[in-house]
Amino acid sequence: MSEAALMQSVDEVPIDKMGLAHYFANYETYLGPIRQQPLDFLELGIARGDSLRHWESWLPNARITGLDITPCSAAFGDRVRCYVGEQQDKAVLDRIAAERAPGGFDVIIDDAAHVGQLARICFWHLFQHHLKPGGYYFIEDWGTGYWPQYPDGKHYRPPEPDLAAHEKLLDRLHKSAPVQAIRPLRKATGWMRWNLVRRRFHGHDRGMVGFVKELIDECGAEDMTHPSFGAGTPRKSRFDWMRVSLGHVVIRKAAG
């Protein structure tokens, strides 16, 4: 199914970074120090072009590129060019990169479909092939994975209450005065707290939420592949760092 068809079911859901102040706080923090530089900048999902107008003004020396599934009728200066295509179309992404940033983009923003698998395909292709070392990749509106209106979204289901009660009971028992006074009982309740509580933690893995959790695994690559307790060929993360906030992910690509 195409990105356009997927989004027909969610076109009434309001997603607009222009009303989310902390998005711009992140952009100010990470891009503010470099905004006067001749950046190669790509935004996926430009709609009417409102955000591109902002970037055109705020990044005075950047070459700005936009991609959307429908043509953008807004008028821009010579530094801005818009393309039509789907974010998961690798051939389109390669053509855009070849024409606009053959040396790689400095900044990429994904504000496109907000569908996990589409964002995932797009991210790994652009990150590996068309984002410069030290470049920034921003992912917007990852919380759609919690929204059942989305084709890959679903309501979050909290942990079963009896498990939470079980853990609370163990905690109270271990801290009680009789148990604290009798060493064998203290050791027994300590053993239960360690062996009977969960090792894995309840979580939601649908859509964009699941994709973000995959990115967290990449952050942990050095531990995940450690020769003493990991799996696979030992390697460092391809991320320098990753910051997750409400609806917003910021990743800086490792220098090399």
Side-chain angles (χ1 to χ4, degrees), residues 11 16 23 77 89 94-95 102 113-114 120-121 143 186 197 201 231:
D11 59 4
D16 187 355
Y23 282 28
D89 189 332
D94 288 341
R95 178 168 64 89
H114 313 299
R120 179 180 183 271
I121 293 169
R186 188 167 69 249
V197 299
F201 298 91

Side-chain angles (χ1 to χ4, degrees), residues 40-107:
D40 284 311
F41 179 100
L42 171 64
E43 181 166 27
L44 311 161
I46 59 174
R48 298 169 301 182
D50 293 342
S51 59
L52 289 192
R53 289 194 184 93
H54 171 78
W55 302 127
E56 184 181 27
S57 172
W58 195 65
L59 303 172
N61 300 304
R63 181 160 55 178
I64 297 168
T65 306
L67 172 68
D68 204 273
I69 58 175
T70 57
C72 179
S73 60
F76 303 101
D78 294 340
R79 293 185 296 112
V80 181
R81 184 184 299 178
C82 299
Y83 291 78
V84 176
E86 298 180 338
Q87 73 174 116
Q88 75 276 15
D89 189 332
K90 296 178 183 179
V92 170
L93 299 178
D94 288 341
R95 178 168 64 89
I96 292 172
E99 293 178 3
R100 297 291 287 172
F105 288 101
D106 298 283
V107 180

Side-chain angles (χ1 to χ4, degrees), residues 34-35 72 81-82 88 104 110 138 148 162 175 177 188 197 226 229 233 239 248 251:
I34 60 173
R35 74 183 190 91
C72 179
R81 184 184 299 178
C82 299
Q88 75 276 15
D110 179 359
F138 296 84
D162 58 339
K175 294 178 180 178
V197 299
H226 192 283
F229 45 75
T233 303
F239 301 167
H248 209 208
I251 294 169

Side-chain angles (χ1 to χ4, degrees), residues 148-171:
Q149 301 99 312
Y150 260 69
D152 62 347
K154 190 176 181 180
H155 278 305
Y156 170 77
R157 296 181 64 184
E160 295 296 328
D162 58 339
L163 182 59
H166 167 69
E167 293 172 348
K168 290 177 182 178
L169 177 61
L170 279 175
D171 193 51

Side-chain angles (χ1 to χ4, degrees), residues 115-151:
V115 171
Q117 182 65 346
L118 305 186
R120 179 180 183 271
I121 293 169
C122 178
F123 173 84
W124 286 115
H125 188 71
L126 287 174
F127 181 87
Q128 293 184 58
H129 301 290
H130 301 302
L131 182 66
K132 292 179 183 177
Y136 292 94
Y137 201 111
F138 296 84
I139 300 170
E140 299 190 349
D141 306 323
W142 61 267
T144 55
Y146 297 115
W147 299 4
Q149 301 99 312
Y150 260 69

